[in-house]
Amino acid sequence: MTNRTFKTGDSRDQASLLPPRIEDYVGPDNPVRAIESFVCALDLAKLGFRHADRGAEEVGQPPYDPADLLKLYLYGYINQVRSSRRLEREAGRNLELIWLLKGLRPGYRTIANFRKENWKALKAANRGFVLLVRELGLIGGSVVAIDGSFFHGDASKASIFTRKRLAEQIAKLDQEIEAYGKSLEDNDAAEAKSQTQDHTGGPGAGGGGDGSDIGAKVAALMARRSRAQADLARLEESGETQLSRTDSDARLLSKSGQTVAGYNVQAAVDDRHKLIVASEVVNDSSDVNQLHAMAKAAKDALETETLQVLADAGYYSSAALKACEDDGIVAYVPPSEGNGWLEKQGRFSLKDFSYDGTADAYRCPAGELLRPMKGRWQNLSGRLEIRYTSRRSICQACGLRARCLTRKASQRTIRRWEHEDVLERHRARMHGADELMRRRSAIVEHPFGTLKCRAGYRHFLVRGFNKVRGEWSLMALCYNFTRVLNVLGPEDFVACLTRALALFQQVIAAIPSCVQALLSRFWKHIARSLVIRRAQLAFAG
Ligand code: SF4
């Protein structure tokens, strides 16, 4: 038994404190080896990374290899280090990073610029990883869940203005300017009076205030007013509803009483391992216009013939359901119930009328038919509708009249969308979809929960759509990367990648005449985005 008071470290004078080789700094199952393998397998020039194809003959100081900076960012985002200054520090003191970068220590400006300049290439790398994990069998490919989440932008709520807010600001500034103007006048009057008394030698001689400070305040208020007026003019000219002074693309987003100055991140998540297969950053609070775009992006990424898509009621849109059906996407979205004002009044709503396709007529609760009128009507949202009406004579004698018609109406009219059959099929689907809808939140809230609560990524560090989309790609890539390492383990991931490369090289060497035919699937699925750089996998052994 030891009699030491505390645990003690080793002496700093001890020789060979660290392993003699950098290679010994990290173990064989360290996740940084997976990062190294993945980045080395990418063709960064084809993905569009700057300086990736820089020729050796170019003059001047050579730039950092984008592979090294991508490794640094992947490592940083996986380990909750996002700031360029912190990444710079970690590159000099973190053994895993020293191993990963082979001792390179890029400056924070270089690191920050890489993230800003390569937003498109980062998106491509993210897509490439999705294709890779699909080839590794980690994607189910039949069911995806879609949801959106608000992320703070690099802008405060106070820096974003609506027309109403600008008008209120201008009105308030006018009041203040008027008040100061009155003070100036009072001041001038007091000065004049004081000068008169000086000449006459009366009381108050030598008094009087200095209006220069008031004049300066008025000038500052006038400048603020001009700025607000210019912002209002810009807003009117652009037709936008909001104007952001710091991040021009950030918007005030509101949902369920929560307001965020930032962006709405949309993600489509596969149900097998909860991997993000498609994502987008928008600046609209509402999800209602995102269903088809996200579902189509997921279907394209998965390259499937059909796809089941689950989303919450915020995505319900008849036009989107029709577009999904046209593209072979089976959408499950709880129908929007509307405000239910007819039910609240105790009157029959559309639910109480059944459509008879054979007769092309609606049957009312009294069993009478409502027939179609000639022509089409366009509603406020642009949908073309057919109107079905009951017969006045029948309605006048109907015992259910009080629950069906208003006091002034003599007949009932039902409006039917020209593609209402799409909604009827959707309603029928939704009757047996309780289990699927329960799975929806478990699938799609996993990535957002992990990124926001575990990693603490609730805001973006960059400004503008392009850069924000680049940073989101890094977040999504690191989420997927971590998830895959958790499922496979770092060693198995590296082995899978190695096998894929080895297979590729064997096929090339063995049957060069048939390369095109035999590799068509490979190129189609992996090499298009995750282009393999031959014989450059660092851990092929
Ligand atoms: S009022 Fe007319 S439409 Fe309504 S239930 Fe009676 S018959 Fe049917």
Side-chain angles (χ1 to χ4, degrees), residues 348 353 364-366 368 370 390 394-395 398 400-401 404-405 412:
F348 297 133
F353 292 75
C364 73
E368 299 294 339
L370 282 73
S390 58
I394 293 176
C395 289
C398 177
L400 299 173
R401 185 191 158 95
C404 190
L405 307 177
R412 183 71 189 252

Side-chain angles (χ1 to χ4, degrees), residues 507 511 514-522:
V507 173
I511 36 177
C514 306
V515 164
Q516 285 299 322
L518 288 172
L519 291 182
S520 62
R521 184 169 178 271
F522 187 85

Side-chain angles (χ1 to χ4, degrees), residues 38 107 158 186 200 218 243 482 492 514:
F38 172 63
D186 293 347
T200 56
V218 170
L243 183 140
T482 309
D492 281 357
C514 306

Side-chain angles (χ1 to χ4, degrees), residues 402-420:
R403 290 190 61 198
C404 190
L405 307 177
T406 59
R407 238 180 283 162
K408 288 182 184 169
S410 57
Q411 63 184 153
R412 183 71 189 252
T413 303
I414 297 290
R415 295 187 172 118
R416 181 181 171 83
W417 182 35
E418 60 177 341
H419 300 298
E420 191 77 21

Side-chain angles (χ1 to χ4, degrees), residues 429-536:
R429 264 201 312 275
M430 289 305 293
H431 280 309
D434 292 348
E435 176 55 29
L436 268 179
M437 295 319 292
R438 268 194 291 278
R439 276 168 61 196
R440 183 203 68 80
S441 56
I443 298 168
V444 77
E445 283 167 20
H446 186 275
F448 286 128
T450 306
L451 283 168
K452 285 187 156 184
C453 298
R454 190 187 69 80
Y457 296 165
R458 295 172 178 275
H459 67 284
F460 292 111
L461 301 177
V462 289
R463 294 175 183 174
F465 257 136
N466 290 341
K467 291 173 198 162
V468 164
R469 282 173 175 147
E471 193 185 6
W472 166 251
S473 297
L474 269 173
M475 289 184 196
L477 174 57
C478 289
Y479 164 82
N480 279 348
F481 202 89
T482 309
R483 192 91 193 111
V484 168
L485 293 191
N486 288 342
V487 173
L488 289 180
E491 283 178 292
D492 281 357
F493 174 74
V494 172
C496 287
L497 206 53
T498 307
R499 273 200 299 277
L501 278 175
L503 180 69
F504 175 68
Q505 287 163 358
Q506 276 171 18
V507 173
I508 292 257
I511 36 177
S513 59
C514 306
V515 164
Q516 285 299 322
L518 288 172
L519 291 182
S520 62
R521 184 169 178 271
F522 187 85
W523 281 103
K524 186 178 169 195
H525 293 309
I526 296 184
R528 192 175 55 200
S529 292
L530 182 83
V531 185
I532 306 302
R533 200 189 287 166
R534 288 184 215 169
Q536 283 208 354

